[in-house]
C-alpha cells in the first residue's frame, strides 16, 4: 500500500465508531453516562429501558458499539440502512430489526415502513425510557415518512423539481422537513422518553439540523417558508396536487408545525471531516511532512477544485502534506461512470502531467465514490503519459465523465470497500520536491 493511501485510511479509521462513540457513550454499572464534548456528563439509570434507532450509511458499526455496551438493557431497536448493504450485513443483536431500503439513495416503501415503525415505537415509551438515535449521512432518504395522502413518488418528484430549479441545501431541507411526519425534530417530539442523538456529519458546516433532515433537532423553519421557497424557485404550479395541498394545510394552521423547541433531546456531533483531517495531519507530521490543512469546506466544481489543489501544490517546495476535506460537485455532460473524487483526480492528473514530486489522492470516506466500487483515485505526474502508452486519452475520458473507466484501465483506483463511516471526501497532496527540482 502506498504512503498516501495509508494516510487516507488513517483518516477513515479516526472516524470509525470505535474511536468516536466510546468517549461520549459509557456505562458505569447500572448507569448510562453520556458525555457531550466540553459539557458535563449526563447519567441516566439503566433498567432494560433502552431503545435504539439508527439510519444512514455509517450506522452499522455504531450499532455494534452500542449493542456491545448495552445489550442487556436494550429492549428493541430499528435500523434503516442502504439496500446495497443487504448482502454484507448481519444484525449486531437479535433485538435490532434491520430494514434495507432506498436503493441508490432513493426513498422507497421499505424505508417508509422503517420510519413508520420508529415513530410508532417511540410514541409508546415512558419518561424513564432511553432512546439512543444513531444518525449519519444518507439518513434523509432512509427515513422518508410523507404525510397521509402524499406518496413517496410525489414527494420525490417535488424535491427533484426544486433541486433542478437551483434550490439550496437549506431550502431543500426546509421543504423536506415540512413534507415529513418524522423529520425536523418530529421524531424526538413524538416521545416522552429521554433522547440522545449521536450524529456523524456529512455536510459542510456541520449543521445538525441538515444531517438526515434533523429528526431530533428543533426546527426554526415554517410551512410558510416552504411555500415561499416553492414560489421563489418557480415550481409551485408544477408540484403534485397532494404536495401543494399539504403545504397549504400547514401554512393555514390546519396541520401542526414542526417543533420549535424540544426539551427531551440531547444532540451530539460525534464525528466530522475535521476529525479525519487531524488524524492524517498527525501521521503525516510523524513521517516528516510539514502539514497544511487548506480547508475543511472544499466545495464547488470538482475540476475547479483540482486546479486549485494543484496550484497550491506547485507553490510549495520541500516535503509538504496538503489536506482538504469537503464535497465537490460534477456537472454531468457525458455518459461514463465515475464520481466527484475520481473526476477531481483525473483533472489533477491532466494538470500534473510531467510534474515530479507531487502525488494527489481524492477519495470518499464512505468507500464509495458515485455509483462505483471505488472510493477515489491516486495520481501523479506520470499518470497521463503512462495511460497514453496504452492508448488512453485522459481528456476524452474526462469530457465523457468516465473517470472510473479511465482509472480501471490506467491504474490508480482506491478500492477499500464500504467503510461504515461517512464524513464527506478527503484530498491529500504530498509534495516532495527540493527547491531546485521543481518542474
Amino acid at each position: 500500500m502506498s504512503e498516501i493511501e495509508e494516510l487516507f485510511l488513517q483518516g477513515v479509521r479516526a472516524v470509525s465508531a470505535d474511536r468516536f462513540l466510546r468517549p461520549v457513550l459509557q456505562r458505569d454499572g447500572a448507569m448510562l453516562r453520556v458525555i457531550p464534548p466540553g459539557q458535563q456528563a449526563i447519567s441516566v439509570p439503566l433498567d432494560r429501558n433502552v431503545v435504539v434507532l439508527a439510519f444512514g450509511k455509517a450506522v452499522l458499526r455504531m450499532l455494534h458499539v452500542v449493542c456491545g455496551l448495552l445489550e442487556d438493557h436494550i429492549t428493541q431497536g430499528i435500523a434503516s440502512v442502504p439496500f446495497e448493504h443487504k448482502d454484507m450485513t448481519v444484525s449486531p443483536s437479535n433485538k435490532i430489526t434491520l430494514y434495507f431500503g432506498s436503493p441508490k439513495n432513493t426513498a422507497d416503501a421499505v424505508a417508509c415502513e422503517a420510519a413508520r415503525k420508529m415513530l410508532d415505537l417511540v410514541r409508546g415509551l415512558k419518561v424513564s425510557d432511553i432512546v439512543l438515535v444513531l444518525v449519519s449521512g444518507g439518513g434523509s432518504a432512509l427515513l422518508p415518512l410523507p404525510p397521509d395522502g402524499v406518496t413517496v413518488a410525489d414527494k420525490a418528484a417535488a424535491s427533484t423539481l426544486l433541486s433542478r430549479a437551483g434550490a439550496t441545501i437549506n431550502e431543500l431541507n426546509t421543504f423536506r422537513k415540512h413534507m415529513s411526519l418524522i423529520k425536523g425534530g418530529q421524531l424526538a417530539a413524538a416521545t416522552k422518553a429521554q433522547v440522545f442523538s449521536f450524529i456523524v456529519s456529512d455536510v459542510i458546516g456541520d449543521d445538525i439540523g441538515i444531517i438526515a433532515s434533523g429528526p431530533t433537532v428543533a426546527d426554526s423553519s415554517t410551512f410558510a417558508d416552504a411555500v415561499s421557497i416553492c414560489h421563489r424557485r418557480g415550481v409551485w404550479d408544477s408540484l403534485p396536487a397532494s404536495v401543494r395541498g399539504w403545504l397549504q394545510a400547514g401554512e393555514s394552521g390546519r396541520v401542526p408545525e414542526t417543533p420549535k423547541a424540544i426539551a427531551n433531546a440531547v444532540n451530539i456531533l460525534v464525528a466530522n471531516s475535521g476529525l479525519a483531517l487531524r488524524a492524517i495531519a498527525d501521521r503525516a507530521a510523524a513521517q516528516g511532512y510539514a502539514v497544511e490543512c487548506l480547508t475543511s469546506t472544499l466545495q464547488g466544481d470538482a475540476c475547479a477544485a483540482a486546479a486549485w489543489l494543484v496550484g497550491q501544490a506547485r507553490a510549495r517546495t520541500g516535503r509538504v502534506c496538503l489536506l482538504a476535506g469537503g464535497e465537490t460537485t460534477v456537472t454531468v455532460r457525458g455518459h461514463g461512470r465515475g464520481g466527484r473524487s475520481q473526476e477531481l483526480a483525473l483533472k489533477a492528473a491532466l494538470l500534473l502531467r510531467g510534474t515530479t514530486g507531487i502525488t494527489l489522492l481524492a477519495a470518499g470516506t464512505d468507500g464509495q465514490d458515485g455509483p462505483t466500487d471505488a472510493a477515489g483515485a491516486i495520481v501523479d505526474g506520470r499518470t497521463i503519459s503512462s495511460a497514453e502508452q496504452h492508448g488512453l486519452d485522459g481528456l476524452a475520458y474526462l469530457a465523457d465523465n468516465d473517470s472510473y473507466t479511465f482509472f480501471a484501465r490506467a491504474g490508480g483506483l482506491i478500492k477499500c470497500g464500504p467503510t461504515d463511516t461517512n464524513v464527506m471526501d478527503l484530498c491529500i497532496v504530498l509534495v516532495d520536491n527540493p527547491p531546485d527540482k521543481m518542474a
Side-chain angles (χ1 to χ4, degrees):
M1 183 180 295
S2 66
E3 178 184 37
I4 198 168
E5 186 172 357
E6 176 55 38
L7 286 173
F8 167 69
L9 293 177
Q10 179 73 11
V12 170
R13 286 190 288 269
V15 288
S16 69
D18 290 341
R19 301 278 187 92
F20 63 69
L21 257 190
R22 296 188 191 281
V24 299
L25 182 64
Q26 300 176 8
R27 179 175 175 177
D28 184 5
M31 297 295 290
L32 176 68
R33 284 172 53 82
V34 178
I35 312 171
Q39 301 179 37
Q40 287 190 330
I42 303 168
S43 296
V44 187
L46 292 167
D47 187 17
R48 295 180 177 82
N49 58 341
V50 177
V51 166
V52 182
L53 306 179
F55 36 91
K57 296 179 180 179
V59 298
L60 290 170
R61 193 166 295 181
M62 296 170 76
L63 274 172
H64 279 274
V65 172
V66 170
C67 290
L69 184 69
L70 299 169
E71 171 75 22
D72 53 332
H73 287 285
I74 294 172
T75 60
Q76 192 174 348
I78 300 171
S80 183
V81 294
F83 175 83
E84 289 77 8
H85 292 184
K86 187 172 184 178
D87 294 333
M88 54 187 174
T89 299
V90 177
S91 177
S93 168
N94 58 13
K95 299 174 183 177
I96 308 294
T97 302
L98 299 182
Y99 289 82
F100 298 94
S102 299
K104 297 182 180 179
N105 208 36
T106 302
D108 66 355
V110 174
C112 267
E113 178 67 9
R116 190 173 300 280
K117 292 285 189 182
M118 290 184 193
L119 200 57
D120 290 343
L121 176 58
V122 301
R123 282 172 173 161
L125 299 179
K126 305 183 298 293
V127 173
S128 58
D129 290 323
I130 302 167
V131 182
L132 302 182
V133 185
L134 313 178
V135 186
S136 74
S140 189
L142 288 161
L143 204 70
L145 191 58
D148 292 341
V150 180
T151 66
V152 174
D154 282 350
K155 181 180 174 182
S159 294
T160 299
L161 283 170
L162 275 171
S163 181
R164 290 179 176 172
T168 67
I169 185 63
N170 286 332
E171 289 175 333
L172 287 169
N173 215 45
T174 294
F175 173 80
R176 289 168 181 159
K177 289 177 181 180
H178 289 89
M179 290 304 305
S180 170
L181 299 179
I182 198 168
K183 295 171 181 173
Q186 295 177 89
L187 176 62
T191 186
K192 298 175 182 177
Q194 175 67 65
V195 177
F196 295 101
S197 192
F198 302 91
I199 304 168
V200 178
S201 174
D202 72 331
V203 301
I204 290 172
D206 299 332
D207 183 344
I208 59 174
I210 291 179
I211 303 162
S213 297
T216 62
V217 182
D219 176 34
S220 61
S221 66
T222 65
F223 275 101
D225 293 331
V227 170
S228 176
I229 288 165
C230 293
H231 281 294
R232 187 164 63 250
R233 293 298 176 180
V235 302
W236 178 258
D237 291 336
S238 301
L239 295 176
S242 61
V243 172
R244 291 199 309 272
W246 176 259
L247 291 176
Q248 287 170 330
E251 187 180 29
S252 65
R254 286 178 282 136
V255 296
E257 259 293 354
T258 50
K260 308 310 173 190
I262 303 173
N264 63 321
V266 177
N267 294 289
I268 305 168
L269 183 69
V270 291
N272 60 9
S273 63
L275 189 60
L277 291 169
R278 287 192 293 275
I280 297 171
D282 290 344
R283 175 61 66 89
Q287 293 174 349
Y289 286 95
V291 180
E292 297 180 44
C293 186
L294 299 175
T295 181
S296 60
T297 60
L298 187 68
Q299 53 192 312
D301 180 72
C303 289
W308 179 72
L309 287 167
V310 169
Q312 293 291 320
R314 289 186 184 279
R316 269 70 172 180
T317 59
R319 191 169 164 83
V320 182
C321 174
L322 304 178
L323 301 176
E327 190 168 283
T328 61
T329 57
V330 171
T331 301
V332 178
R333 297 186 176 90
H335 304 283
R337 293 181 65 200
R340 54 185 177 259
S341 290
Q342 292 165 71
E343 180 119 343
L344 189 157
L346 180 51
K347 178 63 175 181
L350 289 162
L351 295 170
L352 285 170
R353 179 176 180 167
T355 300
T356 60
I358 298 176
T359 304
L360 179 144
L361 173 150
T365 54
D366 61 355
Q368 182 180 16
D369 182 39
T372 76
D373 60 356
I378 300 169
V379 301
D380 60 21
R382 299 165 296 179
T383 299
I384 295 300
S385 57
S386 176
E388 287 176 345
Q389 292 176 11
H390 295 88
L392 303 175
D393 182 346
L395 195 59
Y397 279 95
L398 183 64
D400 197 32
N401 299 117
D402 202 14
S403 53
Y404 178 84
T405 304
F406 173 85
F407 287 116
R409 295 172 178 173
L413 286 174
I414 302 168
K415 292 189 176 183
C416 56
T419 62
D420 288 337
T421 193
N422 182 20
V423 293
M424 299 185 290
D425 304 333
L426 300 176
C427 294
I428 306 171
V429 187
L430 297 182
V431 180
D432 195 357
N433 262 327
D436 60 342
K437 290 188 178 181
M438 287 294 288

